Amino acid sequence: MSNCAFTTHSTVSYSYQTVTQPGITSLSLSSIQGGSFKIRGAANAVKMLDPECKDVVTHSSGNHGQALTLAATMLGIKAHIVVPDNAPAVKKAAMEDYGADIIMCESTQQAREKTAQETIDRIPHSVFIPPYDFPAVIAGQGTLGLEILDQLEDVDAIIVPVGGGGMLSGIALGVKNKNPKVKVIGAEPDLADDCYRSFQAKERLGNPSYPQTVADGVRVDIGKLTWPIVRDFVDAVFTVSEKEIVQGWQLFGVLSCWMFCQFDTCLVVSLLTFSAAICT
């Protein structure tokens, strides 16, 4: 697929394979934009690229695309993002503002993957960095779980939104390794419930058609790499309705404005966990 390679730093082992231990902290993230948590995984992956790699490719409805473009641009690397034609205009604009080369495609998983592969074939020495099904991305997202345990005492459970499973699997690995007693729970829309059904059946099941949920960031199937981690380390998965997602957006907005004026940031993060889970 590419002549470029990834370099490795310190590693952390688990039963499936060895992944790179990310060196990303709250302090370094506090001055970085990127639209969502995905800057963690994207930055971790880009940081490990071989110096010869000058182009990265991915497919994204917006969040991973923004994060990857920002991380790549900061290191002088061009990002080429395959974007489904039903992606929110505001996310597409953000990717363009960060410097992405946008390639549009039909709004199906197959079209996203096919167009991404065509882009890789067209650009010499380019590297594909998946939105979730990639060890460095999983490890980067997992820093969220480690920071929650570092910053908060007596954590009972962490509720995590799930689409492809990068954040859920990363948090589950980190949290269960550090404190197995903490419950890690996945949350996803009723209209994109492949992870919920997979968890019930104990086998990976895809969405029967392209999900039409308002939660555009999770309109994907659980990943081949993330699924066994979710199966073995996550305690439960539940679903929420479209109405509940919209209510979550409203609640998140109100609580964000109020709590950032009232409380310490760490407390805000803990109190907004559930709301964020159904908003993503």
Side-chain angles (χ1 to χ4, degrees):
M1 179 180 294
S2 169
N3 294 325
C4 295
F6 283 84
T7 58
T8 58
H9 307 292
S10 59
T11 58
V12 56
S13 297
Y14 60 99
S15 59
Y16 297 95
Q17 61 182 355
T18 299
V19 299
T20 296
Q21 174 66 45
I24 304 173
T25 65
S26 291
L27 291 177
S28 62
L29 286 171
S30 64
S31 60
I32 296 178
Q33 301 300 310
S36 75
F37 69 91
K38 288 185 180 262
I39 188 64
R40 297 166 180 262
N44 196 43
V46 171
K47 189 175 181 181
M48 292 190 296
L49 284 171
D50 186 289
E52 294 182 1
C53 296
K54 299 302 179 184
D55 296 88
V56 291
V57 178
T58 197
H59 56 78
S60 170
S61 63
N63 291 342
H64 178 63
Q66 291 177 64
L68 183 62
T69 301
L70 177 59
T73 300
M74 293 171 68
L75 294 177
I77 298 171
K78 184 65 176 180
H80 307 267
I81 315 297
V82 174
V83 180
D85 55 18
N86 65 346
V90 65
K91 293 186 177 182
K92 181 174 177 288
M95 288 185 279
E96 292 176 328
D97 287 343
Y98 286 139
D101 169 33
I102 302 293
I103 305 101
M104 302 302 296
C105 73
E106 295 180 5
S107 56
T108 67
Q109 186 71 17
Q110 293 77 10
R112 288 166 62 140
E113 294 174 354
K114 180 176 181 291
T115 307
Q117 185 58 58
E118 291 172 348
T119 304
I120 293 168
D121 294 340
R122 176 171 54 85
I123 303 172
H125 306 296
S126 59
V127 170
F128 180 60
I129 299 180
Y132 47 86
D133 229 13
F134 197 67
V137 172
I138 293 172
Q141 319 304 30
T143 59
L144 279 162
L146 298 179
E147 289 181 10
I148 290 173
L149 297 187
D150 286 343
Q151 297 174 19
L152 301 173
E153 296 181 359
D154 301 323
V155 176
D156 294 317
I158 302 173
I159 301 173
V160 186
V162 55
M167 177 163 61
L168 179 58
S169 60
I171 288 178
L173 282 173
V175 168
K176 293 298 185 178
N177 181 63
K178 190 168 184 179
N179 187 350
K181 293 182 180 180
V182 176
K183 301 292 185 182
V184 178
I185 301 169
E188 69 176 349
D190 282 335
L191 297 184
D193 66 346
D194 60 304
C195 185
Y196 171 79
R197 289 184 292 105
S198 298
F199 198 80
Q200 298 301 312
K202 299 304 178 186
E203 64 175 318
R204 182 172 175 263
L205 303 172
N207 289 297
S209 60
Y210 193 71
Q212 297 303 314
T213 174
V214 295
D216 62 278
V218 297
R219 293 172 183 163
V220 293
D221 294 342
I222 189 74
K224 294 179 180 178
L225 178 59
T226 59
W227 160 242
I229 302 173
V230 171
R231 179 194 63 205
D232 294 350
F233 290 93
V234 171
D235 295 283
V237 178
F238 69 90
T239 62
V240 292
S241 68
E242 297 296 288
K243 180 180 179 180
E244 289 171 320
I245 293 173
V246 173
Q247 291 174 336
W249 286 339
Q250 297 168 342
L251 175 63
F252 184 82
V254 172
L255 291 180
S256 295
C257 293
W258 180 70
M259 286 192 287
F260 273 105
C261 295
Q262 299 290 326
F263 299 110
D264 179 83
T265 302
C266 294
L267 180 57
V268 172
V269 171
S270 65
L271 293 175
L272 291 180
T273 296
F274 180 76
S275 180
I278 62 174
C279 290
T280 304

